[in-house]
Amino acid sequence: MILELVEYLLTPCSFAMRRLGYLRGQLGIKVRHRQCRRAWKEHLQRTQTTIRAALLDCPQRRKAVVLGSGLLLDVPLADLAATFREVILVDVVHPLRAYLATLRYRNVRLVSVDVSGTAAELARIAHDPLAPLPRAVPQLFCDDKEVDYVVSVNLLSQLPYIPAMYLSKSPPRPESEIDDYARSLIESHLDYLQRLPGVVTLVTDVEKIQIDSDGHEVDRFDILYGVTLPWSGEEWTWEHVPLKHLSREFAYHRRVCAVRNLKSGHSKSASAPTDA
Ligand SMILES: C[S@@+](CC[C@H](N)C(=O)[O-])C[C@H]1O[C@@H](n2cnc3c(N)ncnc32)[C@H](O)[C@@H]1O
């Protein structure tokens, strides 16, 4: 508890992003990882394996960009640093361990930015329920011709999470307006990934699954606000909240989808069976 408070105070993070709750959110992930380390291990390893496999698809190896690098739990940083001239870790807030990584790997650089580009405006207008919510048009690195690899790593479902929570505690707005904003953050990120240069990988959780104490599925919840991924990929289950962690009755799993090279043509429409 005391260590977390010290880390909260020492971690570089703007006042606006602290107020929105990004730093607290990331420290929360760190605590949950410590408590659920065994349950999360396979998901984190499979994410790293997907990224390592994608590196083989990169004909050039100048810059690699990791969107949502966070605690680096699911990022094979040593492989990226050995493969690329420069590795750019992008997150709205970088934990102290990411700063340490830049000392260990001289070609690793941190960029602290909200990839949706809407969070600062959200913090500014949230108190006014009549002010329109911002719309995301991400551009970061789109014009950098030296970027040969990008991975969005367990970030997509998180993009609306903190903004929606912040809005729910702000002066009330119609729920449909918050949902529209959340959906637009997800859609604009998917569009952004297609506009980025180089090989692009997406790993994201797409559904939350409620499991009873006998291991049977009870319910499923969409966590992407009705948006379906336009690509098919490898899928696995992430034991996100093991039984007895939050509840004696239920565990919560996540269905994860990993698209190794989303420009390589495995769109859902392209792979859908056609009538003979
Ligand atoms: C579930 S974590 C991803 C896992 C992370 N790769 C790790 O190993 O810890 C989501 C990360 O996305 C970051 N994030 C959330 N919203 C963001 C945004 N709008 N822009 C940039 N990063 C964001 C969070 O700070 C967090 O580090």
Side-chain angles (χ1 to χ4, degrees):
M1 191 71 188
I2 289 179
L3 282 180
E4 267 118 44
L5 180 62
V6 172
E7 191 165 358
Y8 183 82
L9 295 172
L10 291 183
T11 303
C13 183
S14 72
F15 177 69
M17 297 306 125
R18 275 176 197 261
R19 187 151 59 97
L20 283 166
Y22 283 106
L23 178 54
R24 223 174 322 115
Q26 199 179 73
L27 290 172
I29 295 173
K30 185 174 178 183
V31 172
R32 281 203 304 284
H33 173 249
R34 200 165 56 223
Q35 295 167 342
C36 307
R37 191 179 293 268
R38 272 182 44 202
W40 287 21
K41 191 171 171 195
E42 188 186 342
H43 161 65
L44 299 176
Q45 279 179 347
R46 289 187 80 157
T47 304
Q48 293 206 11
T49 302
T50 302
I51 297 171
R52 285 194 190 96
L55 301 189
L56 303 175
D57 294 343
C58 297
Q60 292 199 82
R61 290 153 179 212
R62 291 166 297 175
K63 294 184 186 173
V65 175
V66 182
L67 303 172
S69 51
L71 297 158
L72 300 168
L73 301 170
D74 46 17
V75 178
L77 189 60
D79 298 84
L80 286 165
T83 305
F84 291 90
R85 191 185 74 208
E86 187 178 4
V87 179
I88 303 161
L89 303 179
V90 179
D91 204 290
V92 68
V93 50
H94 289 285
L96 296 178
R97 72 153 57 170
Y99 288 89
L100 290 177
T102 62
L103 300 179
R104 180 157 179 210
Y105 302 103
R106 287 304 168 101
N107 59 340
V108 172
R109 178 162 73 88
L110 307 185
V111 173
S112 301
V113 71
D114 151 37
V115 294
S116 82
T118 64
E121 175 67 0
L122 182 73
R124 203 179 65 77
I125 56 98
H127 69 280
D128 175 4
L130 296 178
L133 294 173
R135 283 291 176 259
V137 189
Q139 290 296 342
L140 193 68
F141 300 111
C142 282
D143 296 326
D144 188 337
K145 300 274 182 293
E146 294 208 312
V147 169
D148 294 317
Y149 181 61
V150 181
V151 56
S152 170
V153 62
N154 292 305
L155 166 67
L156 184 71
S157 68
Q158 296 295 300
L159 287 173
Y161 182 69
I162 283 184
M165 226 161 52
Y166 188 72
L167 283 170
S168 70
K169 291 180 200 144
S170 306
R173 285 174 187 267
E175 205 179 309
S176 61
E177 194 187 349
I178 300 178
D179 285 356
D180 283 351
Y181 170 57
R183 195 175 308 110
S184 76
L185 291 179
I186 288 173
E187 286 172 339
S188 64
H189 190 70
L190 295 178
D191 172 67
Y192 170 56
L193 294 180
Q194 297 173 77
R195 288 185 285 111
L196 280 159
V199 171
V200 179
T201 299
L202 169 68
V203 182
T204 182
D205 44 353
V206 295
E207 260 184 345
K208 175 166 143 179
I209 308 165
Q210 188 180 20
I211 308 283
D212 69 16
S213 55
D214 294 324
H216 298 126
E217 181 178 325
V218 177
D219 212 344
R220 266 175 195 249
F221 309 89
D222 168 30
I223 53 173
L224 296 185
Y225 291 83
V227 179
T228 39
L229 299 186
W231 316 282
S232 43
E234 193 191 344
E235 294 196 0
W236 63 79
T237 300
W238 172 13
E239 212 183 315
H240 188 235
V241 183
L243 194 65
K244 297 188 185 148
H245 182 64
L246 285 184
S247 141
R248 291 189 168 276
E249 286 170 274
F250 300 111
Y252 292 89
H253 294 176
R254 297 280 169 120
R255 183 165 70 87
V256 177
C257 184
V259 186
R260 193 178 88 189
N261 181 349
L262 60 80
K263 295 179 192 163
S264 70
H266 295 292
S267 67
K268 279 190 177 149
S269 53
S271 60
T274 50
D275 291 334

